[in-house]
Amino acid sequence: MVFTRGEGVYVYDAQGRRYLDFVAGIAVCALGHADPGVAAVVAEQARCLVHLSNLYHTEPHLRLAEALVARSFADRVFFCNSGAEAVEAALKFARKYARVRFGGHKVGFVAFTHGFHGRTMGTLSVTEKAAYREPFAPLVPGVTFAPFNDVEAARAAITEETCAVIVEPIQGEGGVHVATLEFLQALRERCDAVGALLIFDEVQCGLGRTGTLWAYEAYGVEPDLLTVAKPLANGLPIGAVLMREPVAAVLQPSDHGSTFAGGPLVAAVALHVFRRLSDPAFLARVREVGAFLRARLEAAGLPGVRAIRGRGLFLGIEIAGDARAVVAAALERGLLVTTAGDTVVRLVPPLIVTEAQIEEAIALLKAAMEAAGSSR
Ligand code: PLP
């Protein structure tokens, strides 16, 4: 099967068959496919300036950084090209901060079960799942894993030797698990007590997907660093680390960098996308449609459902059977969905999805789950 084009919430294969896309490039195409506004910015900026390297400033990346700072806890932004690069950079910045502020002993990271932070050597080191890690061991030493949402275990794991704690406020790849308020509050308190930095990885849950611009806003708990990527340029590769001034203050030119990062083409698109995603009316609509999706899923009588988790348009359906069989059966019926672990079907549609498209998706999903025997 080869896909040739997309339009809004639909994609089309080479035979002209239409699919309803509830994957969105894995939580990337928040504004859907072939968005005319995005296309116009790509064309306009491509005619103007595509790349210069980070040796020079350009207007798009300065304006994008300004916009991200104006709408977040952060004072400074570092640009890169992907989610893994953003996490990698955040880990390096945390190490540098601890070294400058406290000396060389404070190098430990604390991360959590079911967390996923990327596939580079550094990001794999803070990703718990053995299947991702073991083929590439040994990884970066000094990482302690604690059970997600276990306040006491987290308090014990975070010590004076910890330079940073990394957590997804809503875990994606690991099965769509939502952090409790008590958990994030305890991480913040404990990090402050031992002088560790708190990193929120919002590569998947950030930028409006959960109905607030940042997932952390729903908790009222702020990080010191935040990683963002996937939807920022609606499919063009970009990542960013948002951070507070004291962290930025320890970084010197050439401590870290990247040839392509924050280039004017991708930054111009990201600025356009960010303005639209951060519009309060857009976010209110995500909350409305997200609540509709959840309510309709709960009322649909889907077979073999054990739990429905998530927030906004970031939902996971835990089933009794094999999630991959449901994904395959849905594809046959013209619906794209993906997994989040062996038993979770993940729904991350474009944020422009309508109620009618949700009804259509649920009917296809129900047929797929019945065909796949997901209750077995
Ligand atoms: N962090 C989180 C929470 C993710 O979900 C992902 C990817 O799924 C990453 C980091 C890695 O991002 P990328 O695939 O862009 O490297």
Side-chain angles (χ1 to χ4, degrees), residues 26 82-85 87 116-118 168 172-173 201 203-204 229-230:
I26 321 186
S82 68
E85 280 188 32
V87 173
F116 180 85
H117 302 290
E168 296 158 84
E173 303 298 310
D201 182 351
V203 165
Q204 190 154 165
K230 286 178 180 282

Side-chain angles (χ1 to χ4, degrees), residues 45-132:
Q45 188 62 40
R47 280 193 292 265
C48 178
L49 187 66
V50 171
H51 178 73
L52 263 191
S53 88
N54 59 6
L55 293 175
Y56 310 99
H57 287 305
T58 65
E59 197 169 326
H61 92 241
L62 293 173
R63 289 205 185 288
L64 176 61
E66 262 171 13
L68 288 164
V69 163
R71 289 295 307 270
S72 73
F73 73 98
D75 304 305
R76 298 276 192 153
V77 181
F78 175 87
F79 290 116
C80 51
N81 307 290
S82 68
E85 280 188 32
V87 173
E88 194 78 34
L91 298 175
K92 283 181 69 177
F93 298 167
R95 279 266 173 92
K96 178 91 194 278
Y97 175 84
R99 178 175 296 271
V100 171
R101 288 286 306 273
F102 303 101
H105 69 285
K106 198 173 174 66
V107 296
F109 294 112
V110 173
F112 298 96
T113 54
H114 305 298
F116 180 85
H117 302 290
R119 294 174 186 273
T120 61
M121 294 299 267
T123 59
L124 270 183
S125 305
V126 291
T127 295
E128 183 249 358
K129 193 172 168 183
Y132 295 138

Side-chain angles (χ1 to χ4, degrees), residues 293-308:
L293 172 59
R294 183 157 198 147
R296 300 301 290 169
L297 281 174
E298 280 167 355
L302 301 175
V305 173
R306 290 194 163 152
I308 297 175

